[in-house]
Amino acid sequence: ARVFYSSGNGPSKGEQVPQAAPVAVFKLTQDFTKDQFPTKVNLGVGAYRTDEGQTWVLPVVKRAEKIIVSDDRLNHEYLPILGLPEFRSSVSRIALGDDSPAIQENRVGAVQCLGGTGALRIGAEFLRCFYNGNNNTKTPIYVSAPTWENHGAVFTSAGFQDIRPYKYWDAQTRGLDFVGFLSDLESCPERSIFVLHACAHNPTGTDPTQDQWKQIAQVMMRRKLFVFFDFAYQGFASGNLENDAWALRYFVSRGFELFCAQSFSKNFGLYNERVGNLTIVSRDTDNLKRVLSQMEMIVRTTWSNPPSQGARVVALTLTSPELFSEWKDNVKTMADRILLMRSQLKAKLQALGTPGTWDHITEQIGMFSFTGLNPKQVEYLVKEKHIYLMSSGRINMCGLTTKNIDYVAESIHEAVTVVQ
Ligand SMILES: Cc1ncc(COP(=O)(O)O)c(C=O)c1O
Ligand SMILES: *[C@@H]1O[C@H](CO)[C@@H](O)[C@H](O)[C@H]1NC(C)=O
Ligand SMILES: *[C@@H]1O[C@H](CO)[C@@H](O)[C@H](O)[C@H]1NC(C)=O
């Protein structure tokens, strides 16, 4: 037996717990925090920052929290295993839309999850257990190349053994490799599972157009591929909740049975409350009932019951017309600040005459920009300029502020000119 600890005679060398690598994005922030350089900049984190470089508690969240804290009817009793009922069925239905036929046909259900990650994980566990036969760990899982670094790992820890990339990013054109994407959809085994970013693709900031989504859906339907949407940035792509849900709603309208992992970390700024929602669109009510009964079993052995605070904030906001409209304004404030930073960064790089084209900075959408900086240029920025960003060249647009943007633009200019 492999022991990792025994009293008396300690573990032998081969049995020691191996050191795991640090999670890149958190390591970057640690390094940033330790750095004493006065004009250091953190473009690594995946969270919103104000123009003062501060985290932002959304005003609507503060209001909702005050209402919750003074509501004497609330208590700390366990929630149902699948979550807060108001949260699982909020009247506003921001993901699928109020008029979703699938909702009217009673074949949509939800599981309140611990963040978008929890929703992906619970969905993945379910698929391993029940998709393509029992415990079919061999079903290929396709994730975009590149993607959020946790996607493959979540499906691996849920037991899947065959994680594959699908073509997505064309480094040459700094845009979508649509031909490659389609050809991977055509050539993969039938019934493969595809993780699709519903909007504001992380890290590339590049989404298919509506017309391209239609073609993607057509191939996926014909080839019987399973769609698992990751919807972590609703509101961040266009500043408008409805527009950002277009792809998801289109797939539902085409009759797909699908999963969608919704995260409220970003659009509510509730990062540490862990608020997520796994939507299940099923073929009929009966099937949905059976799926949810199994979801309950999976949740029971994973976290047993979800936490309530964040879910209450979200449910209250979505069900109160007044709070809902305030929330939409708050989301727009975040999205608009990102747009402003995009246009300023592009303008500054162009004014400096920085080699290369920079149109992709404003063409990309969402929180991130995939700059096209290579790993050496990134290293230069980190080491010489104390500007922290992911080695992929991804930057968080909210890390930019009106105060540091000149420094960042000049530094990028220098990196591109000095380091090939
Ligand atoms: C694409 C994507 N999916 C899912 C998540 C997970 O979000 P959460 O913090 O709600 O688990 C993130 C967060 O960075 C993300 O970027
Ligand atoms: C969770 O998902 C269900 C099913 O899509 C939906 O009805 C509900 O409104 C969602 N909850 C939130 C808070 O968006
Ligand atoms: C699922 O399949 C994997 C690989 O085939 C196997 O190792 C594992 O024990 C199985 N789990 C269950 C619950 O059957």
Side-chain angles (χ1 to χ4, degrees):
R2 285 170 65 89
V3 283
F4 60 87
Y5 176 81
S6 63
S7 55
N9 49 348
S12 72
K13 215 162 169 59
E15 291 164 338
Q16 277 176 16
V17 178
Q19 179 73 38
V23 175
V25 64
F26 286 91
K27 169 76 165 53
L28 202 63
T29 295
Q30 252 175 29
D31 293 347
F32 169 80
T33 309
K34 271 191 255 159
D35 192 332
Q36 298 294 318
F37 195 71
T39 59
K40 63 181 179 175
V41 181
N42 187 357
L43 303 178
V45 289
Y48 182 76
R49 295 287 180 267
T50 64
D51 196 45
E52 284 71 46
Q54 302 298 311
T55 57
W56 197 44
V57 182
L58 271 56
V60 70
V61 166
K62 277 196 180 149
R63 277 182 70 187
E65 283 176 335
K66 281 189 187 136
I67 296 171
I68 290 167
V69 85
S70 58
D71 186 342
D72 291 331
R73 292 166 306 175
L74 296 177
N75 55 42
H76 294 292
E77 191 51 71
Y78 285 121
L79 293 181
I81 293 173
L82 293 183
L84 190 72
E86 308 87 281
F87 177 88
R88 294 177 56 216
S89 67
S90 310
V91 286
S92 63
R93 288 160 181 148
I94 53 167
L96 294 186
D98 293 330
D99 53 357
S100 170
I103 292 181
Q104 279 151 23
E105 290 157 21
N106 290 317
R107 51 188 186 85
V108 179
V111 185
Q112 182 195 328
C113 290
L114 270 63
T117 311
L120 287 165
R121 178 61 187 263
I122 292 298
E125 295 278 351
F126 177 90
L127 291 171
R128 193 206 65 237
C129 294
F130 300 106
Y131 182 75
N132 264 349
N134 281 351
N135 189 33
N136 190 341
T137 60
K138 302 276 195 282
T139 302
I141 308 291
Y142 281 84
V143 300
S144 64
T147 193
W148 183 46
E149 77 284 349
N150 212 12
H151 273 156
V154 165
F155 281 86
T156 304
S157 29
F160 284 101
Q161 297 173 343
D162 191 359
I163 318 287
R164 309 178 184 187
Y166 62 86
K167 292 189 201 69
Y168 194 84
W169 175 251
D170 182 343
Q172 216 65 47
T173 63
R174 291 185 179 163
L176 182 68
D177 177 4
F178 186 57
V179 173
F181 188 173
L182 278 188
S183 80
D184 284 346
L185 290 172
E186 289 287 3
S187 62
C188 69
E190 277 198 350
R191 300 188 187 281
S192 295
I193 295 168
F194 273 73
V195 179
L196 303 179
H197 298 231
C199 76
H201 184 272
N202 175 9
T204 68
T206 302
D207 290 351
T209 62
Q210 292 188 359
D211 193 51
Q212 288 169 336
W213 275 123
K214 287 180 184 169
Q215 294 181 59
I216 292 164
Q218 197 176 22
V219 180
M220 293 191 82
M221 181 60 86
R222 169 163 49 76
R223 303 225 49 244
K224 304 183 174 59
L225 305 174
F226 187 85
V227 188
F228 199 148
F229 274 112
D230 182 351
F231 204 9
Y233 295 94
Q234 187 174 14
F236 276 91
S238 66
N240 177 296
L241 298 165
E242 308 287 319
N243 294 347
D244 287 4
W246 189 90
L248 169 67
R249 292 177 189 181
Y250 179 76
F251 274 70
V252 173
S253 78
R254 301 301 299 159
F256 280 85
E257 285 194 289
L258 53 76
F259 285 173
C260 174
Q262 224 181 331
S263 165
F264 295 97
S265 302
K266 326 274 167 172
N267 54 18
F268 268 86
L270 285 170
Y271 306 94
N272 64 9
E273 293 293 347
R274 313 310 297 137
V275 205
N277 191 25
L278 175 66
T279 284
I280 300 135
V281 179
S282 175
R283 88 182 76 94
D284 57 42
T285 314
D286 191 50
N287 193 46
L288 175 69
K289 233 169 83 183
R290 283 180 276 111
V291 171
L292 286 174
S293 74
Q294 293 296 345
M295 290 287 183
E296 202 163 72
M297 292 298 106
I298 294 169
V299 169
R300 184 66 177 151
T301 57
T302 310
W303 53 67
S304 185
N305 296 86
S308 67
Q309 177 69 10
R312 279 177 180 158
V313 169
V314 170
L316 189 61
T317 304
L318 298 186
T319 50
S320 146
E322 200 191 330
L323 293 184
F324 187 54
S325 103
E326 183 174 350
W327 176 57
K328 285 198 283 192
D329 288 345
N330 290 174
V331 170
K332 188 147 191 322
T333 299
M334 294 191 282
D336 284 348
R337 194 178 105 63
I338 293 170
L339 288 178
L340 184 69
M341 289 300 109
R342 284 190 186 282
S343 60
Q344 289 194 2
L345 181 63
K346 180 173 102 172
K348 285 184 198 292
L349 289 170
Q350 286 175 339
L352 289 166
T354 309
T357 61
W358 298 97
D359 291 329
H360 59 284
I361 302 277
T362 50
E363 280 159 11
Q364 293 169 355
I365 53 172
M367 202 180 259
F368 303 112
S369 180
F370 216 47
T371 56
L373 294 168
N374 65 38
K376 281 202 178 127
Q377 293 164 339
V378 171
E379 193 185 327
Y380 183 86
L381 287 170
V382 176
K383 293 238 166 83
E384 305 295 326
K385 298 289 163 184
H386 308 264
I387 296 173
Y388 290 80
L389 66 159
M390 303 288 278
S391 59
S392 63
R394 183 193 87 169
I395 62 175
N396 179 352
M397 295 311 296
C398 326
L400 293 171
T401 68
T402 45
K403 277 154 232 104
N404 69 23
I405 196 162
D406 285 317
Y407 176 65
V408 171
E410 282 153 21
S411 302
I412 290 178
H413 179 82
E414 199 177 306
V416 171
T417 328
V418 175
V419 191
Q420 294 307 311

